[in-house]
Amino acid sequence: VEPELGGDSDILTAYFTDIQSFSSFSEILTASELVELLNEYLTVMTDVLLDAGGTLDKYEGDAIVAFFGAPMPMEDHAVRGLRTALEMQRKLGELRRKWASEGDKWPEQVHIMRTRIGLNTGEFVTGNMGSTTRMNYTMMGDVVNTAARLEASAKQYGIYIQCTTQTLDSAGRDAFEWRDIDKVKVMGKSEAVETVEIMASKGQLDPKLMEMKEIYQSGMEAYRRQKWNAARKLFTSSESLEEVFTKRPTTPSRVYIERCDYFKAHPPGDDWDGSWTLTSK
């Protein structure tokens, strides 16, 4: 059968990954080194994706765009998406160790490479799009745009797997170790997007990070009740237990210490729903 243009709408999970500060890699590697590095990375990551039953949409430079649940329907697309994200991070850890073991073949920046992953679950269209002579099996829709935004905005919190509560709920809250990240209102949208960081599969989180997560979640409860001083104290305590690694831009605890200071000076009012409004897209 000849493929034809057209799409189907369904509840699926959209998946985006991107290497942190990748543009700086091209400044320190030759073109052939860059291709070698990228191909090794993309091969390992794509194997993880395909093993989990994900569909590769496309590569955009160092970015991997994918989705779960089409063209073959699957009930557990959200779980598969989150497990894939954790497994990609684990595999990247192995690659970092391998690159570091290769002596001075790669500069230090390669040894500390990190990738950010954003996921969202909801109704969107997948299908053949383009022209009758050249088409692409791809996805489009608001849910997809949000997933791409979550991958990019993970940087603002210094986290590496960010998804919506829709994805978490669809996958099952009890299957993973996670923490609340934000409730963000974006320009031109009435609905706030609620996001979480996926930290590990259930029971797989380092005890120190488990303690950090519990203190942080208590901080979030105080923050939502507008108890700025109590929340700030808890976030200061969780900040001291956050993971430290080279080039981590910030941590969620640090972001919320600043939020507490901001809201203390500019109280949001009694009808506040716990959300933060982004002034730009």
Side-chain angles (χ1 to χ4, degrees):
V1 181
E2 282 286 302
E4 49 186 59
L5 292 171
D8 298 303
S9 179
D10 215 337
I11 303 231
L12 310 163
T13 295
Y15 188 101
F16 286 79
T17 81
D18 213 355
I19 296 173
Q20 176 173 293
S21 324
F22 187 69
S23 53
S24 59
F25 282 73
S26 49
E27 292 162 16
I28 54 174
L29 298 175
T30 65
S32 58
E33 284 172 336
L34 197 61
V35 169
E36 184 189 341
L37 180 71
L38 208 45
N39 285 343
E40 182 173 16
Y41 164 82
L42 291 172
T43 299
V44 170
M45 297 301 139
T46 306
D47 285 349
V48 171
L49 175 75
L50 300 179
D51 285 350
T55 300
L56 176 68
D57 182 330
K58 56 180 164 287
Y59 301 117
E60 283 180 355
D62 64 295
I64 300 169
V65 181
F67 46 89
F68 290 82
M72 294 302 289
M74 53 176 72
E75 290 295 301
D76 57 347
H77 49 84
V79 173
R80 287 181 191 234
L82 295 183
R83 289 207 181 118
T84 298
L86 289 168
E87 181 62 9
M88 278 193 183
Q89 297 293 10
R90 194 185 71 76
K91 286 286 197 192
L92 181 56
E94 286 180 4
L95 280 174
R96 283 196 296 267
R97 288 189 287 280
K98 174 186 176 288
W99 293 328
S101 75
E102 290 172 340
D104 53 11
K105 178 180 177 183
W106 300 110
E108 173 68 12
Q109 209 157 334
V110 173
H111 304 168
I112 58 171
M113 183 198 283
R114 298 271 165 181
T115 191
R116 285 189 298 265
I117 303 174
L119 304 91
N120 190 18
T121 300
E123 190 168 337
F124 58 91
V125 173
T126 54
N128 291 316
M129 317 206 189
S131 76
T132 48
T133 51
R134 187 181 170 99
M135 57 185 77
N136 234 339
Y137 184 72
T138 185
M139 59 178 168
M140 62 195 328
D142 199 39
V143 168
V144 176
N145 301 342
T146 299
R149 275 205 188 123
L150 294 191
E151 179 275 304
S153 75
K155 179 183 186 175
Q156 298 166 21
Y157 310 97
I159 60 174
Y160 295 87
I161 303 176
Q162 183 172 225
C163 72
T164 56
T165 46
Q166 281 89 331
T167 302
L168 180 65
D169 288 335
S170 181
R173 287 181 175 238
D174 296 338
F176 298 94
E177 303 292 356
W178 53 273
R179 61 169 155 175
D180 289 305
I181 290 296
D182 219 341
K183 187 172 177 183
V184 178
K185 282 202 170 115
V186 185
M187 291 284 284
K189 289 244 179 96
S190 52
E191 284 289 292
V193 176
E194 284 190 64
T195 66
V196 299
E197 176 191 13
I198 301 296
M199 304 171 81
S201 290
K202 192 71 178 176
Q204 300 292 305
L205 194 60
D206 172 273
K208 185 181 152 190
L209 291 179
M210 199 70 195
E211 184 192 352
M212 180 277 289
K213 173 179 96 108
E214 279 157 16
I215 299 168
Y216 172 91
Q217 289 290 90
S218 306
M220 286 302 262
E221 280 171 39
Y223 170 83
R224 288 179 184 139
R225 294 204 310 272
Q226 304 196 33
K227 306 263 192 268
W228 313 125
N229 290 336
R232 194 185 197 284
K233 208 170 163 183
L234 287 159
F235 290 132
T236 304
S237 169
S238 63
E239 162 63 10
S240 67
L241 298 169
E242 290 269 11
E243 244 184 311
V244 179
F245 47 83
T246 316
K247 291 278 203 294
R248 185 171 192 186
T250 183
T251 67
S253 300
R254 212 175 304 158
V255 168
Y256 276 93
I257 290 169
E258 289 169 18
R259 290 263 179 103
C260 290
D261 291 342
Y262 175 84
F263 278 134
K264 222 172 129 173
H266 311 89
D270 293 342
D271 58 352
W272 182 57
D273 62 358
S275 69
W276 179 259
T277 303
L278 287 183
T279 47
S280 61
K281 278 185 87 166

